[in-house]
Amino acid sequence: MSKQYLTLHTIDAAHNSDIFALAPTKTQLLSASGGSAIKIYNTTEADFPLAQELNGAHKLGIHHLVTSKDGKRAASAGFGGEVKIWKADEEWVWEVEGEISDKAKPGDVWAISLSADGNYLASSSINGRIHVWSLNRSEGFPKIREYETKGSFGLCVDLSADGAFTASGHENGSIYIFNNDTGRLAHSLAGLVHPVRSVRFSPASKLLAAAGDARVIALYDVNSGEQVANLTGHGGWILSLDWSDTGEYLLSGSYDSKAKVWRIETRSCVATHSHGDRPLWAAKWLPKATRSEMFALAGGNQAISFYREAAG
């Protein structure tokens, strides 16, 4: 059974270069690109107006940008190796809270993920190590965990919503799940022999979705480490994954310029949308504020498009 999504609005020339990351809150969408600015759009108004622009956030451009589930904290990673932590005030105006540098060089920090409560940050690195930081400002954002892998570039990382696990995907196709309570490796997952560009825990932290150059989305049981499904249909590298609030649907974005919505219960694709003819770097659900589901897409065409479920 298919689902219909309508294009609500497109912001053309949202950035002057490829948009690499989208990060939603309940009322806003943050976006980042190869340029130095983070832009913040208001998602409560029909034309999604620009609400704030954080100019000069990262001089060499931004490759990853994430928000916490409560939407009060954000983190951005720049091509210079630095990570900045941002906070929103009661009026949803953002300002920089601090920086994790740790004498970082380009590649020491690549992908990033914030815990649901915004108190922890996980990062991957070019040497394969996975770091977890406490975002306790009074303590200076200390590093509290360092997970070793087999040394392949960590292209993606995710923290589970319950805080129990950290997952990473690597250039050599390796996928790891670490137990944050014990600080030990829980599972080394097989199944994808090509670079893994996105890993995402389901909202209930029961499943892990992983995808990349194999053009397949693999689903794993987090507790057992067993691979329980393969979702196929994309014609290019899969660059972005995101679960809906309920975990019923998975959204994927690909180098083939297409976004797909997958129904997890039936393991089937229920909607496909094209976003121009350039790579689709970022595909994100917006927090559910009404009966209708909404998501946003962005990538190489420098535009951000918003979609809403046709029913409701």
Side-chain angles (χ1 to χ4, degrees):
M1 185 173 131
S2 64
K3 285 170 70 76
Q4 296 294 320
Y5 292 88
L6 307 174
T7 307
L8 276 181
H9 187 69
T10 295
I11 303 169
D12 292 313
H15 288 263
N16 293 325
S17 58
D18 282 30
I19 300 170
F20 293 127
L22 298 173
T25 73
K26 291 177 182 178
T27 61
Q28 297 176 327
L29 182 71
L30 286 67
S31 62
S33 72
S36 63
I38 294 172
K39 295 189 178 183
I40 301 157
Y41 294 92
N42 186 335
T43 55
T44 65
E45 297 183 32
D47 58 347
F48 300 90
L50 182 66
Q52 190 180 356
E53 191 166 349
L54 302 171
N55 290 307
H58 294 270
K59 290 182 179 178
L60 299 182
I62 305 157
H63 50 79
H64 284 85
L65 174 69
V66 292
T67 46
S68 59
K69 188 173 179 60
D70 66 6
K72 289 294 187 178
R73 222 170 196 172
S76 55
F79 285 101
E82 72 285 355
V83 175
K84 288 189 177 180
I85 310 301
W86 308 85
K87 66 176 181 178
D89 65 16
E90 295 303 315
E91 302 298 320
W92 295 100
V93 176
W94 292 84
E95 64 178 10
V96 68
E97 186 177 9
E99 185 172 332
I100 296 174
S101 59
D102 197 37
K103 301 178 182 177
K105 301 181 294 294
D108 284 356
V109 174
W110 185 247
I112 53 175
S113 177
L114 275 174
S115 61
D117 59 11
N119 291 332
Y120 300 94
L121 176 85
S123 69
S124 68
S125 66
I126 198 167
N127 61 19
R129 289 191 183 93
I130 307 302
H131 308 286
V132 181
W133 319 76
S134 165
L135 296 187
N136 187 323
R137 189 178 182 185
S138 64
E139 296 178 1
F141 302 152
K143 187 191 299 182
I144 58 172
R145 284 270 190 264
E146 185 171 310
Y147 296 121
E148 290 283 349
T149 68
K150 292 184 178 179
S152 177
F153 190 171
L155 295 172
C156 50
V157 69
D158 195 33
L159 284 165
S160 63
D162 62 7
F165 300 102
T166 301
S168 62
H170 297 258
E171 191 173 33
N172 65 359
S174 298
I175 304 165
Y176 301 100
I177 299 177
F178 301 95
N179 186 310
N180 292 332
D181 293 327
T182 65
R184 296 180 179 276
L185 177 68
H187 302 292
S188 176
L189 305 177
L192 297 173
V193 296
H194 298 281
V196 179
R197 298 184 184 272
S198 185
V199 288
R200 296 286 290 176
F201 287 103
S202 65
S205 307
K206 301 296 186 187
L207 293 173
L208 179 75
D213 294 11
R215 306 179 184 185
V216 173
I217 302 169
L219 297 180
Y220 299 91
D221 182 285
V222 172
N223 288 322
S224 69
E226 178 186 359
Q227 186 172 347
V228 295
N230 276 339
L231 308 178
T232 59
H234 275 297
W237 300 350
I238 298 168
L239 304 171
S240 180
L241 295 172
D242 196 36
W243 292 86
S244 64
D245 281 349
T246 60
E248 294 177 80
Y249 298 99
L250 184 68
L251 177 66
S252 59
S254 170
Y255 202 86
D256 65 9
S257 312
K258 291 181 174 60
K260 290 182 179 289
V261 178
W262 309 84
R263 189 191 303 273
I264 297 304
E265 184 181 4
T266 58
R267 311 288 200 248
S268 62
C269 176
V270 295
T272 300
H273 286 272
S274 293
H275 185 67
D277 57 359
R278 303 294 300 278
L280 180 53
W281 294 107
K284 280 285 182 182
W285 294 103
L286 303 186
K288 200 166 183 179
T290 65
R291 288 177 57 196
S292 299
E293 296 167 337
M294 293 174 59
F295 61 83
L297 307 177
N301 67 356
Q302 304 167 18
I304 301 173
S305 291
F306 296 88
Y307 295 82
R308 178 181 63 82
E309 185 184 9

